[in-house]
PDB file of all heavy atoms in Angstrom:
ATOM      1  N   TYR J 465     -85.145 126.264  37.732  1.00 95.00           N
ATOM      2  CA  TYR J 465     -83.969 127.104  37.987  1.00 95.00           C
ATOM      3  C   TYR J 465     -83.151 127.291  36.702  1.00 95.00           C
ATOM      4  O   TYR J 465     -82.749 128.399  36.361  1.00 95.00           O
ATOM      5  CB  TYR J 465     -83.127 126.445  39.084  1.00 95.00           C
ATOM      6  CG  TYR J 465     -81.759 127.036  39.245  1.00 95.00           C
ATOM      7  CD1 TYR J 465     -81.594 128.318  39.779  1.00 95.00           C
ATOM      8  CD2 TYR J 465     -80.627 126.311  38.865  1.00 95.00           C
ATOM      9  CE1 TYR J 465     -80.325 128.859  39.918  1.00 95.00           C
ATOM     10  CE2 TYR J 465     -79.368 126.847  39.005  1.00 95.00           C
ATOM     11  CZ  TYR J 465     -79.219 128.115  39.531  1.00 95.00           C
ATOM     12  OH  TYR J 465     -77.980 128.650  39.662  1.00 95.00           O
ATOM     13  N   ILE J 466     -82.956 126.206  35.972  1.00 94.00           N
ATOM     14  CA  ILE J 466     -82.129 126.297  34.772  1.00 94.00           C
ATOM     15  C   ILE J 466     -82.875 127.022  33.640  1.00 94.00           C
ATOM     16  O   ILE J 466     -82.310 127.877  32.961  1.00 94.00           O
ATOM     17  CB  ILE J 466     -81.679 124.897  34.312  1.00 94.00           C
ATOM     18  CG1 ILE J 466     -80.724 124.313  35.355  1.00 94.00           C
ATOM     19  CG2 ILE J 466     -80.984 124.961  32.947  1.00 94.00           C
ATOM     20  CD1 ILE J 466     -80.362 122.886  35.134  1.00 94.00           C
ATOM     21  N   LEU J 467     -84.146 126.706  33.486  1.00 94.00           N
ATOM     22  CA  LEU J 467     -84.890 127.300  32.364  1.00 94.00           C
ATOM     23  C   LEU J 467     -85.224 128.778  32.605  1.00 94.00           C
ATOM     24  O   LEU J 467     -85.361 129.558  31.662  1.00 94.00           O
ATOM     25  CB  LEU J 467     -86.187 126.520  32.123  1.00 94.00           C
ATOM     26  CG  LEU J 467     -85.995 125.083  31.627  1.00 94.00           C
ATOM     27  CD1 LEU J 467     -87.328 124.342  31.649  1.00 94.00           C
ATOM     28  CD2 LEU J 467     -85.390 125.054  30.225  1.00 94.00           C
ATOM     29  N   GLY J 468     -85.360 129.153  33.861  1.00 94.00           N
ATOM     30  CA  GLY J 468     -85.725 130.534  34.182  1.00 94.00           C
ATOM     31  C   GLY J 468     -87.242 130.720  34.166  1.00 94.00           C
ATOM     32  O   GLY J 468     -87.990 129.873  33.644  1.00 94.00           O
ATOM     33  N   LYS J 469     -87.669 131.827  34.741  1.00 96.00           N
ATOM     34  CA  LYS J 469     -89.108 132.073  34.939  1.00 96.00           C
ATOM     35  C   LYS J 469     -89.881 132.076  33.610  1.00 96.00           C
ATOM     36  O   LYS J 469     -90.887 131.370  33.456  1.00 96.00           O
ATOM     37  CB  LYS J 469     -89.284 133.408  35.659  1.00 96.00           C
ATOM     38  CG  LYS J 469     -90.716 133.742  35.995  1.00 96.00           C
ATOM     39  CD  LYS J 469     -90.777 135.001  36.843  1.00 96.00           C
ATOM     40  CE  LYS J 469     -92.212 135.389  37.114  1.00 96.00           C
ATOM     41  NZ  LYS J 469     -92.322 136.599  37.938  1.00 96.00           N
ATOM     42  N   MET J 470     -89.393 132.850  32.670  1.00 95.00           N
ATOM     43  CA  MET J 470     -90.134 133.035  31.412  1.00 95.00           C
ATOM     44  C   MET J 470     -90.372 131.719  30.677  1.00 95.00           C
ATOM     45  O   MET J 470     -91.493 131.381  30.302  1.00 95.00           O
ATOM     46  CB  MET J 470     -89.345 133.959  30.470  1.00 95.00           C
ATOM     47  CG  MET J 470     -89.199 135.350  30.974  1.00 95.00           C
ATOM     48  SD  MET J 470     -90.548 136.343  30.348  1.00 95.00           S
ATOM     49  CE  MET J 470     -89.986 136.546  28.662  1.00 95.00           C
ATOM     50  N   GLU J 471     -89.273 130.990  30.489  1.00 95.00           N
ATOM     51  CA  GLU J 471     -89.370 129.747  29.726  1.00 95.00           C
ATOM     52  C   GLU J 471     -90.230 128.733  30.478  1.00 95.00           C
ATOM     53  O   GLU J 471     -91.018 127.995  29.887  1.00 95.00           O
ATOM     54  CB  GLU J 471     -87.955 129.202  29.454  1.00 95.00           C
ATOM     55  CG  GLU J 471     -87.893 127.938  28.603  1.00 95.00           C
ATOM     56  CD  GLU J 471     -88.428 128.113  27.182  1.00 95.00           C
ATOM     57  OE1 GLU J 471     -88.489 129.256  26.696  1.00 95.00           O
ATOM     58  OE2 GLU J 471     -88.802 127.086  26.566  1.00 95.00           O
ATOM     59  N   THR J 472     -90.094 128.713  31.797  1.00 97.00           N
ATOM     60  CA  THR J 472     -90.901 127.790  32.610  1.00 97.00           C
ATOM     61  C   THR J 472     -92.383 128.071  32.408  1.00 97.00           C
ATOM     62  O   THR J 472     -93.182 127.154  32.165  1.00 97.00           O
ATOM     63  CB  THR J 472     -90.540 127.937  34.105  1.00 97.00           C
ATOM     64  OG1 THR J 472     -89.164 127.630  34.260  1.00 97.00           O
ATOM     65  CG2 THR J 472     -91.368 127.018  34.970  1.00 97.00           C
ATOM     66  N   LEU J 473     -92.745 129.340  32.490  1.00 98.00           N
ATOM     67  CA  LEU J 473     -94.164 129.693  32.349  1.00 98.00           C
ATOM     68  C   LEU J 473     -94.670 129.350  30.950  1.00 98.00           C
ATOM     69  O   LEU J 473     -95.783 128.829  30.793  1.00 98.00           O
ATOM     70  CB  LEU J 473     -94.367 131.179  32.650  1.00 98.00           C
ATOM     71  CG  LEU J 473     -94.198 131.555  34.134  1.00 98.00           C
ATOM     72  CD1 LEU J 473     -94.300 133.069  34.327  1.00 98.00           C
ATOM     73  CD2 LEU J 473     -95.228 130.840  35.012  1.00 98.00           C
ATOM     74  N   ALA J 474     -93.831 129.596  29.952  1.00 97.00           N
ATOM     75  CA  ALA J 474     -94.242 129.298  28.576  1.00 97.00           C
ATOM     76  C   ALA J 474     -94.530 127.816  28.410  1.00 97.00           C
ATOM     77  O   ALA J 474     -95.537 127.418  27.817  1.00 97.00           O
ATOM     78  CB  ALA J 474     -93.163 129.759  27.603  1.00 97.00           C
ATOM     79  N   ARG J 475     -93.653 126.999  28.974  1.00 98.00           N
ATOM     80  CA  ARG J 475     -93.823 125.537  28.831  1.00 98.00           C
ATOM     81  C   ARG J 475     -95.031 125.050  29.623  1.00 98.00           C
ATOM     82  O   ARG J 475     -95.763 124.154  29.188  1.00 98.00           O
ATOM     83  CB  ARG J 475     -92.554 124.799  29.265  1.00 98.00           C
ATOM     84  CG  ARG J 475     -91.402 125.033  28.296  1.00 98.00           C
ATOM     85  CD  ARG J 475     -90.207 124.147  28.582  1.00 98.00           C
ATOM     86  NE  ARG J 475     -89.071 124.576  27.768  1.00 98.00           N
ATOM     87  CZ  ARG J 475     -87.918 123.943  27.679  1.00 98.00           C
ATOM     88  NH1 ARG J 475     -87.737 122.825  28.370  1.00 98.00           N
ATOM     89  NH2 ARG J 475     -86.947 124.405  26.928  1.00 98.00           N
ATOM     90  N   ALA J 476     -95.219 125.620  30.823  1.00 98.00           N
ATOM     91  CA  ALA J 476     -96.356 125.199  31.651  1.00 98.00           C
ATOM     92  C   ALA J 476     -97.657 125.559  30.926  1.00 98.00           C
ATOM     93  O   ALA J 476     -98.607 124.764  30.892  1.00 98.00           O
ATOM     94  CB  ALA J 476     -96.283 125.867  33.013  1.00 98.00           C
TER      95      ALA J 476
END
Side-chain angles (χ1 to χ4, degrees):
Y465 168 70
I466 293 172
L467 294 171
K469 183 174 177 180
M470 295 268 285
E471 183 63 21
T472 300
L473 289 175
R475 291 189 189 187

